[in-house]
Amino acid sequence: MEGAGTAGVWGFSPAIDMLSLADMDHSQQENAQGESTREDTASDTQSQHLSSDANILLMGARDARHIIKTIAHLGRHKNFRGNLNFYVYEEQAPMLARTILLLSMFLDQDPNINNADQSQFFLEVFGNTFLRGKSYDAVKSLATSLMILLGDNKGPLASLFNLNLLKFRDRDDLEVVFKFWRDDAKKAYDIEKLWDSRLRRLYGPRYDCRENSVDWDYHMKLVKEVTIIHKTEFLRWRQHGIAYEVRGSTYDKPNRTTATLENMKQDGVKVVKWGYFNDVITGPFVPFGIETENELLLKRDNDMHKHASSEVAEFNIASYLEEYKQTFPTVESLLSRVKIHLLPPGADPTASLLKLTKSKTVAPIQFTSIFVSNSTAQCIAQIPPALLGPKTRMSVETARFMLDLKATQVQAFTEKLVEVCTESGFQMLNGGSIPASSCKEAAVGGKVEAKTPDVLVMCFVGSQEAMLGSAQLSSQVEMLA
């Protein structure tokens, strides 16, 4: 898919509180009694069975959104007294390095920066191809700090990241990425030229009338899924790669964190090159900008939204920051309860996951909840059963927001996901989607009319039990259509 790219740096589904995902069996009981619940507004009783540590696997999430929301909402799980262990797998070292960077930016508790400025800086690095001058310098400074963290294990967040599962080659790859962000004079990153090249490949002979193509994608595809993304911000991003703007600011520095690696031919020989191989068709709006608990941001006037997706994203990040700092007044209090285990990046996670079953540095674990992106869904069957338990919940990203695909292709992909999950011992919960909630999503006419949810929610029951329930699963998939 030319539009989605081959190496994404943001996801195609909203952020999830992974602790609440583990509570969905209880949520389902409440819904049967007619009570509307939300995975990100878990009650005290929802967390009663989570007395031990929560082990969360993120496979190809492409960004830090699930970690951020889970940490921010930890204070809502009053009865959960355990620790949070995140296991992060990405397909490339630049994606893993960017996750580390985004977490460092969000978890920073600098008293000299307020939540509004911190959220603007975060979103700018998260979703823009160009940065302001001061943001560009800040990223270079952070890259230096992360190199020290990687090499000497020093820094305020050094003990947050467990690097023991990485090979020396993986650490070297991460260092190469951090150096690429910092040493701009050594390796150029002409994002304007790279962006234009991607657009020319996407539009082909329609390049000169690309604004009409954007208009078609917006009205005939995107609006059918969600309307809070305004046409003006969608057009600006599709043309220039700018999703989040601070009024009166100049964006003239390349965001080098959006660069990934790809094998390309040069003089008949395959070489690895830096470039922009990320999404150019949907945009970075979905992870933080289409759902919110603040219903005022979803108000309409003459059936038109009064606020835009960028405002929703700013509010969400700022509110996450506020909750996070209330739950963890100091970085030390965070480090006492949260650990992020970095798994070796690569095309196949099998070796990394098997390593967890035999690791001498990590105690034997069973995952509480799992997130699988649509780009790594083929790896579900490779998750060792030893890492799964009867309470394991899995959220699998669908292709709902992949604008490259037709509706029939999205549905076919969803059916294939269900088939793969069933064969791997999983069954769907709540018809496959996260329960309706206080965290509203803006869609056509105020109602979600999409044929497919953004994620499918599964529970592990074992291969034999899952196959016995295959008839029920098939009927549930038909209901999604």
Side-chain angles (χ1 to χ4, degrees), residues 219-243:
H219 288 288
M220 303 306 294
K221 296 181 179 181
L222 187 63
V223 166
K224 291 182 178 180
E225 301 294 343
V226 60
T227 56
I228 190 66
I229 302 173
H230 276 211
K231 181 181 175 181
T232 51
E233 60 185 353
F234 184 67
L235 177 62
R236 181 180 65 231
W237 183 82
R238 284 283 292 263
Q239 290 188 318
H240 308 293
I242 304 294

Side-chain angles (χ1 to χ4, degrees), residues 111-126:
N112 297 319
I113 181 171
N114 58 46
N115 289 349
D117 290 341
Q118 193 171 350
S119 63
Q120 287 175 349
F121 174 45
F122 176 91
L123 289 171
E124 182 181 346
V125 175
F126 174 78

Side-chain angles (χ1 to χ4, degrees), residues 296-396:
L296 293 176
L297 292 175
L298 303 180
K299 279 197 170 183
R300 295 166 176 262
D301 190 5
N302 293 328
D303 205 35
M304 295 290 292
H305 281 286
K306 298 176 69 175
H307 300 277
S309 173
S310 55
E311 296 174 82
V312 172
E314 264 191 57
F315 170 83
N316 284 341
I317 296 298
S319 64
Y320 294 162
L321 284 167
E322 185 175 353
E323 283 194 75
Y324 152 62
K325 292 175 182 178
Q326 287 176 353
T327 304
F328 301 106
T330 63
V331 172
E332 289 72 21
S333 60
L334 169 74
L335 300 178
S336 67
R337 293 196 65 188
V338 180
K339 195 77 172 180
I340 298 171
H341 307 267
L342 305 178
L343 301 178
D348 185 353
T350 306
S352 299
L353 295 174
L354 285 173
K355 195 172 183 179
L356 289 177
T357 64
K358 304 174 182 178
S359 175
K360 296 179 180 179
T361 59
V362 177
I365 63 167
Q366 281 190 337
F367 290 121
T368 310
S369 54
I370 300 171
F371 173 84
V372 181
S373 70
N374 54 31
S375 65
T376 56
Q378 73 278 3
C379 302
I380 291 173
Q382 299 170 18
I383 302 175
L387 299 176
L388 304 172
K391 292 183 179 180
T392 301
R393 301 292 179 263
M394 181 171 68
S395 174
V396 187

Side-chain angles (χ1 to χ4, degrees), residues 397-412:
E397 187 177 62
T398 67
R400 175 184 173 187
F401 293 105
M402 308 291 283
L403 300 188
D404 280 312
L405 301 179
K406 298 177 181 178
T408 53
Q409 293 174 313
V410 172
Q411 181 60 23

